Amino acid sequence: MPELPEVQTTADGLKSKALNRVFVDVWTDWKKTIKKPKSFEQFRKEIKNKKIKNIWRRAKNIIFDLSDGCSLLIHQKMTGHLLYGIWNMKHRTWVPEGNKALEDPMNKFLHLIFFLDNKKMIALSDLRKFAKVELWKTGELLEELAKLGPEPSDKSFTFEMFKSCLRPKGALARRGKVKQIIMDQNIIAGIGNIYSSEALWQAKIHPEKNVAKLSENELKSLYRAIKKVLELGVKLGGESFSDYRKPDGTKGAFDKRRRVYRREGQKCARCGTKIKRLKVGQRSAFFCPFCQKL
DNA sequence: AATCGTTCCTGATAGC
DNA sequence: TGCTATCAGGAACGAT
């Protein structure tokens, strides 16, 4: 489930490989992935011969800035991941550079392939077909992206800024459960179910605590926890206990540091209490009932 | 205006 | 063994 660290890892990995490459062609077996323009044929026509000028991340989106003032946006949603490599004719599958055999069932759900001018490809593997791909005029995309919450990994994301996200000045006091609030892309960008669970555990805050009732100290702990957990996630190349893979097909290492997410019934690393799970706004929330009291 | 429920998908898992 | 039902989940969208 790609969140900020996974998307950052993907963007960095692709940038190191595909900068200044040109899209030669594109193939899909699931046209619905392409949301903009509306038809895949149009998309194919428009992206052909565009050069990749930059690759970066905003929230959970990967953005390819292209020649002619265009930008390609890819959101991997839940099971999507982008792979860089070559097409193995014999086995009819994607393989990483160097043509090493890679036995990984997670990489085989290829539904969209971009062919580059260096005979390499960028492939979207997406088991559940939720990922979306859009081609924008760069200026219009930037306007859209500006509406999202700030980037918690930016230097400019200070404690004061974090506080103003949760307690906007001059607006109605924000209400709601803290987990849902920090996962809202319009409030803070890039945080999803995994890293919100981990950050709340780190900060010892119950996922259902009303955000309006957080003390100054809790806000500070949560701010530090979010920064720390995301930074660690990026450093370790994201988590891969489920579908996500880095662009070279290998797994991220954050799993070693995963404390609560999908650890229901296991012991809390701090106190030994069994991790519990509950539903917060149709999502699973994992937490330690002793460390994170309501 | 903010919040809630539904929708999109399919492999894995549980239950019989 | 083999079938069916349920679940996971980001974010757009419609409904309240």
Side-chain angles (χ1 to χ4, degrees):
Chain A
M1 200 173 27
E3 301 179 25
L4 187 152
E6 290 75 29
V7 181
Q8 190 66 55
T9 300
T10 298
D12 292 345
L14 291 177
K15 188 175 177 179
S16 73
K17 294 291 183 185
L19 219 52
N20 295 318
R21 298 275 57 85
V22 173
F23 288 120
V24 172
D25 205 351
V26 54
W27 165 92
T28 189
D29 68 350
W30 195 253
K31 294 182 179 180
K32 284 165 84 174
T33 301
I34 310 295
K35 308 285 184 195
K36 190 178 161 70
K38 278 179 184 144
S39 89
F40 172 72
E41 301 313 323
Q42 188 63 28
F43 174 80
R44 184 178 177 211
K45 208 164 103 186
E46 284 180 29
I47 200 152
K48 266 193 195 177
N49 301 319
K50 296 275 196 289
K51 188 175 191 172
I52 301 173
K53 309 290 261 186
N54 193 19
I55 303 176
W56 54 291
R57 179 194 63 78
R58 176 75 170 99
K60 300 173 193 168
N61 302 290
I62 297 173
I63 295 128
F64 297 71
D65 288 330
L66 308 177
S67 48
D68 304 327
C70 290
S71 289
L72 177 72
L73 176 146
I74 300 181
H75 195 306
Q76 307 174 99
K77 295 284 178 83
M78 263 118 54
T79 57
H81 53 268
L82 291 168
L83 299 162
Y84 180 87
I86 56 177
W87 183 251
N88 183 305
M89 288 292 265
K90 194 177 155 200
H91 297 102
R92 302 199 57 74
T93 187
W94 171 88
V95 289
E97 278 185 298
N99 208 0
K100 290 166 291 196
L102 185 75
E103 298 283 331
D104 186 345
M106 278 311 159
N107 297 336
K108 75 182 180 193
F109 306 97
L110 306 185
H111 295 300
L112 182 68
I113 300 177
F114 297 94
F115 299 95
L116 305 176
D117 63 342
N118 60 352
K119 313 257 180 192
K120 302 274 171 28
M121 61 192 234
I122 294 172
L124 173 69
S125 175
D126 187 22
L127 187 153
R128 284 179 207 166
K129 299 177 173 172
F130 279 8
K132 73 165 181 182
V133 173
E134 298 170 340
L135 191 55
W136 288 77
K137 283 195 169 46
T138 302
E140 289 176 14
L141 177 61
L142 293 178
E143 256 177 63
E144 256 338 278
L145 295 175
K147 296 173 185 170
L148 294 167
E151 288 292 335
S153 53
D154 275 5
K155 280 216 173 82
S156 60
F157 189 75
T158 59
F159 176 58
E160 287 310 311
M161 181 179 275
F162 173 67
K163 237 164 91 171
S164 70
C165 291
L166 302 194
R167 307 264 165 82
K169 283 175 191 124
L172 231 54
R174 231 183 260 293
R175 325 153 122 279
K177 295 163 182 173
V178 59
K179 181 179 170 73
Q180 287 176 285
I181 298 290
I182 61 172
M183 283 171 66
D184 186 331
Q185 302 305 298
N186 295 311
I187 298 174
I188 303 170
I191 302 170
N193 214 5
I194 299 168
Y195 294 94
S196 64
S197 298
E198 297 300 316
L200 287 166
W201 178 83
Q202 190 82 49
K204 302 185 180 176
I205 296 170
H206 192 287
E208 289 189 300
K209 180 137 187 172
N210 188 327
V211 65
K213 292 191 174 163
L214 291 174
S215 69
E216 182 77 6
N217 276 342
E218 284 176 317
L219 287 171
K220 212 154 235 169
S221 302
L222 184 55
Y223 169 74
R224 290 203 195 102
I226 287 172
K227 294 279 273 188
K228 194 175 156 186
V229 161
L230 292 176
E231 195 181 319
L232 185 64
V234 172
K235 194 175 146 198
L236 297 178
E239 64 72 29
S240 290
F241 70 88
S242 186
D243 315 81
Y244 177 74
R245 298 295 182 269
K246 296 192 268 187
D248 65 359
T250 60
K251 294 183 175 187
F254 185 78
D255 203 36
K256 290 196 285 261
R257 305 295 292 271
R258 180 167 56 90
R259 301 300 187 218
V260 282
Y261 186 74
R262 289 219 185 164
R263 288 201 185 280
E264 187 184 15
Q266 299 179 31
K267 286 181 176 176
C268 169
R270 247 185 331 236
C271 73
T273 306
K274 278 191 178 177
I275 303 298
K276 279 200 167 170
R277 160 186 183 152
L278 49 85
K279 283 273 178 190
V280 179
Q282 0 266 88
R283 305 251 173 285
S284 305
F286 298 87
F287 70 107
C288 168
F290 181 79
C291 295
Q292 299 165 264
K293 290 201 171 92
L294 201 54

